[in-house]
């Protein structure tokens, strides 16, 4: 996991990054030191993106692949510590993708420093389940409604997308309400 992307309602001193940082602190509590472990904070709200010359898509990886910027979100660069990507300097070779996550599991993801697939047991003995509203059966062949091709589908995997709009769908990243009444939605950029 490379970055945490948070959306909470709330650089010409945009107030959104600070609002989202406070929401993130409330969400993770003492399980993760937001101030110590986050680097650059980038706001992708309409006002802050006004000078981006309509750049909504960038490229990264080897070979270069397109990915969409998380417009309407605030991105926190997160330093997860030493990983294979850091040791081998392969970050620039990695293709950008987003993973929608339920906000309440973000502290577990940050503490474990990894994503988990359904069936895995994570810190605290919590077993990851397929969320309600999603297919819960075993692997199967199905017709892909987008490509119109037959494909093998296994629901016991980590889902990623180069589109933050797709990762932010309710199936992947549900909006949750914090104790103070603010709503928060989370996705991870990997």
């Amino acid at each position: 996991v490379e970055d945490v992307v948070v959306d909470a309602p709330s650089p010409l001193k945009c107030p959104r990054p600070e609002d989202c940082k406070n929401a993130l602190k409330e969400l993770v509590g003492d399980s993760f030191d937001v101030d110590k472990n986050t680097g650059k904070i980038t706001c992708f709200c309409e006002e802050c993106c006004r000078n981006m010359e309509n750049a909504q898509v960038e490229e990264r990886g080897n070979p270069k692949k397109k990915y969409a910027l998380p417009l309407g979100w605030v991105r926190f660069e997160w330093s997860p510590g030493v990983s294979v990507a850091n040791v081998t300097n392969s970050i620039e070779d990695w293709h950008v993708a987003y993973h929608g996550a339920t906000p309440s599991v973000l502290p577990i993801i940050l503490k474990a420093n990894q994503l988990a697939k359904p069936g895995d047991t994570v810190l605290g003995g919590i077993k990851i389940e397929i969320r309600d509203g999603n297919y819960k059966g075993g692997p199967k062949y199905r017709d892909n409604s987008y490509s119109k091709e037959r494909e093998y589908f296994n629901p016991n995997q980590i889902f990623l997308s180069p589109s933050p709009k797709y990762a932010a769908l309710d199936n992947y990243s549900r909006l949750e309400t914090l104790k103070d009444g603010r709503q928060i939605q989370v996705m991870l950029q990997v």
Side-chain angles (χ1 to χ4, degrees), residues 2 9 45 74 90 155 161 168:
E2 181 182 323
C45 74
V74 174
S90 64
S161 173

Side-chain angles (χ1 to χ4, degrees), residues 55-84:
Q56 295 184 15
V57 175
E58 291 190 354
E59 291 184 336
R60 192 173 89 183
N62 186 12
K64 297 271 187 220
K65 295 284 185 184
K66 292 181 180 180
Y67 69 96
L69 294 175
L71 300 178
W73 291 72
V74 174
R75 178 173 59 200
F76 294 82
E77 291 183 10
W78 167 47
S79 177
V82 176
S83 68
V84 174

Side-chain angles (χ1 to χ4, degrees), residues 24-59:
L24 183 59
K25 284 180 176 182
E26 182 179 333
L27 177 66
V28 300
D30 295 333
S31 68
F32 184 79
D33 187 337
V34 173
D35 291 318
K36 179 182 174 189
N37 293 299
T38 55
K40 182 179 175 187
I41 300 173
T42 306
C43 184
F44 290 95
C45 74
E46 186 176 330
E47 183 69 28
C48 291
C49 290
R50 196 166 280 161
N51 296 326
M52 292 179 65
E53 299 177 18
N54 296 324
Q56 295 184 15
V57 175
E58 291 190 354
E59 291 184 336

Side-chain angles (χ1 to χ4, degrees), residues 1 3-8 20 23-25 27-28 70 73-74 76 98-107 109-110 115 131 164 166-176 178 183-189:
V1 176
D3 297 322
V4 177
V5 186
V6 176
D7 185 28
C20 289
L24 183 59
K25 284 180 176 182
L27 177 66
V28 300
W73 291 72
V74 174
F76 294 82
Y98 300 95
H99 173 75
T102 303
S104 56
V105 302
L106 183 62
I109 293 169
L110 294 176
L115 297 175
R131 290 187 10 199
Y166 188 82
L169 292 175
D170 193 52
N171 283 14
Y172 306 108
S173 176
R174 292 201 177 127
L175 199 61
E176 288 185 359
L178 297 173
Q183 292 191 311
I184 188 168
Q185 190 174 14
V186 173
M187 72 176 148
L188 301 155
Q189 178 181 320

